Amino acid sequence: MAITSANQLELLQTAEAVAREKMIDPGLVVEAMEESLARAAKSRYGAEMDIRVHIDRKTGKATFTRVRTVVEDELLENYQAEFTVEQAKQYMENPEVGQQLIEEVPPVEMGRIAAQSAKQVILQKVREAERDRQFEEFKDRAGTIINGLVKREEYGNVIVDVGAGEAILRRNEKIGRESYRPNDRIRVYIKDVRREQRGPQIFLSRTAPEFMAELFKMEVPEIYDGIIEIKAVARDPGSRAKIAVISYDNSIDPVGACVGMRGSRVQAVVNELQGEKIDIIPWNEDQPTFLVNALQPAEVSKVVLDEEAGKIEVVVPEEQLSLAIGRRGQNVRLASQLTGLDIDIMTEEQESARRQAEFELRTQLFVDNLDLDEFFAQLLVSEGFTSLEEVAYVEVDELLVIDGVDADTANELQARARDVLEAQNKAAIESARALGVEDSLIEFEGLTPQMIEALAKDDVKTLEDFATCADWELAGGWTTVDGERSKDDGVLEPFEMTLEEAQDLIMTARVMLGWVDPADLEPDEEVSEDAEAEEAEV
């Protein structure tokens, strides 16, 4: 193929046609053509030459030029594309390093191999431009629903034509065992768009909780308008789901609006999700109340929330237990996902048995240590006393409210409790010293003898050892791995130490050791004054 006046306009016409077909900028196609012609020219004139081609955007005329750059003597490497200042003097006046000599060279005759090579370059450039356009088009559409056409199925994954390219619906993102045939229409959620080596990859999903939320937004105008908000979604794809909603307009029932007249709105979503049963639940800021709603249709007798552990105990009647748990634990699992809490479900009988066991354990504690009869010990437990410390250091008046306890009896009880505690403390310190604990830790304020003994058994024997501990190592905590919450036991957790208390103790130890400057822990006075001034102005 020779670049002649006869086919100059053909270049522009071809570029326009390709650009229109691929929906890309014609200028990118022309640039690809320039690069392919330059590559063909290099094969004719020499690969080391810097040959460049410019195609006039109006006439289609291709101009071939050879470029040589002036470089310093010691940097001269490519004699075909570079020359020194001295060599450049025969072509240029007063040449300087960095200047270029541009000479026009005759057009080349493109043989079959050169033409094939040029074609590959153009195709590659067009593909890259197409990928960039596809990525730009879809990068901001992640998190939305799109309609597509099934092209084919590969190893359980569905390849979907989404108009400007292909996207993939992986096997684990399909609902249940649903299968598709070529040319089936499909509605999917764009989960992620990534720029990868082989081009942009568009990942679709039909199992994502967000897919259900977007479907409701399409079916319920109040959600689209922001009057009703979807606060949480939990799904067992293809089987059952729970969705929590709240209304910001007191005159609109969020559950009724989502259900629609005769269930028309929710039924449209159910049909799209292959018959997935949907529980629509009113959201509530109060977590126990929200959990009671989330466990519907089961009835709940009582809820006990442990906010620090993110755990909640639910008590239900015996006949409601199987309903609350659900088939294969589905109901309680979805309620847990919806609320973000670990849920323990027990019957009223189980809770009663557990409380009875705790009552008997505390009763026996007072019987063994305070030399009381069982009846008197039970009175103490019934009044809410759970430990020897409470008996020893509580105000006497709180003991006097117990039937049959006068001032002398109260004083005697406290004296016995203090004697037992002192003996226990002495034994704990002796045990800690035997394990090698140093005085620096024993004399540290904030730790009881029993705590020091527990630390010694965990090989924390000096103030330096204590200062290197993390707060969760002392107070315990929760870790979430792959969506599963696991418990980290703390050394001092049995003594009901909180994370905040552990942080304060560890920081105090670091200050005492000189590892931390106390001034760094105090708020900046100037900042505080400025903040106060701003508040005064307001």
Side-chain angles (χ1 to χ4, degrees), residues 269-308:
V269 178
V270 169
N271 292 341
E272 179 62 45
L273 299 177
Q274 306 292 322
E276 189 171 318
K277 294 181 177 64
I278 302 173
D279 295 335
I280 303 172
I281 294 157
W283 187 81
N284 197 299
E285 284 186 6
D286 181 55
Q287 283 189 314
T289 304
F290 181 35
L291 180 64
V292 170
N293 295 340
L295 282 171
Q296 292 176 0
E299 296 177 6
V300 176
S301 303
K302 187 165 62 173
V303 172
V304 181
L305 173 65
D306 183 348
E307 290 188 21
E308 186 176 333

Side-chain angles (χ1 to χ4, degrees), residues 366 370 380 385 387-394 399 410 413-414 417:
F366 293 140
L370 300 180
L380 282 176
F385 290 94
S387 66
L388 293 173
E389 286 83 3
E390 289 179 1
V391 175
Y393 302 111
V394 78
L399 290 170
L413 272 175
Q414 290 197 315

Side-chain angles (χ1 to χ4, degrees), residues 42 46 132 475 500:
K42 283 184 180 181
D132 287 341
E500 289 76 14

Side-chain angles (χ1 to χ4, degrees), residues 36 56 92 102 312 326 360 414 479 489:
S36 65
D56 190 289
M92 309 165 66
I102 301 174
I312 201 159
E360 290 173 359
Q414 290 197 315
T479 305
D489 293 328

Side-chain angles (χ1 to χ4, degrees), residues 108-144:
V108 297
E109 293 282 339
M110 292 181 69
R112 183 178 59 81
I113 296 175
Q116 189 66 25
S117 174
K119 182 181 178 183
Q120 291 299 324
V121 171
I122 294 171
L123 288 175
Q124 179 63 27
K125 285 286 184 182
V126 168
R127 268 197 297 268
E128 288 176 4
E130 201 175 3
R131 287 170 178 171
D132 287 341
R133 179 192 56 75
Q134 186 179 348
F135 179 76
E136 289 300 321
E137 181 178 338
F138 281 94
K139 70 176 182 179
D140 296 326
R141 296 181 66 181
T144 61

Side-chain angles (χ1 to χ4, degrees), residues 166-201:
E166 292 183 352
I168 183 170
L169 177 65
R170 288 178 172 166
R171 185 187 323 177
N172 61 332
E173 297 290 349
K174 294 193 295 183
I175 297 175
R177 297 181 180 178
E178 63 184 4
S179 59
Y180 298 97
R181 291 177 295 183
N183 297 321
D184 280 355
R185 295 202 66 80
I186 183 174
R187 185 182 286 182
V188 285
Y189 176 79
I190 302 177
K191 191 173 184 180
D192 194 14
V193 181
R194 299 181 211 153
R195 193 194 291 274
E196 296 188 357
Q197 192 71 28
R198 52 184 176 168
Q201 296 295 302

Side-chain angles (χ1 to χ4, degrees), residues 234-279:
R235 289 183 66 191
D236 195 347
S239 176
R240 192 171 177 188
K242 290 179 183 286
I243 180 169
V245 292
I246 184 173
S247 173
Y248 295 113
D249 185 337
N250 293 334
S251 65
I252 296 177
D253 171 27
V255 176
C258 291
V259 172
M261 189 172 291
R262 297 181 182 177
S264 58
R265 292 175 174 178
V266 72
Q267 194 57 47
V269 178
V270 169
N271 292 341
E272 179 62 45
L273 299 177
Q274 306 292 322
E276 189 171 318
K277 294 181 177 64
I278 302 173
D279 295 335

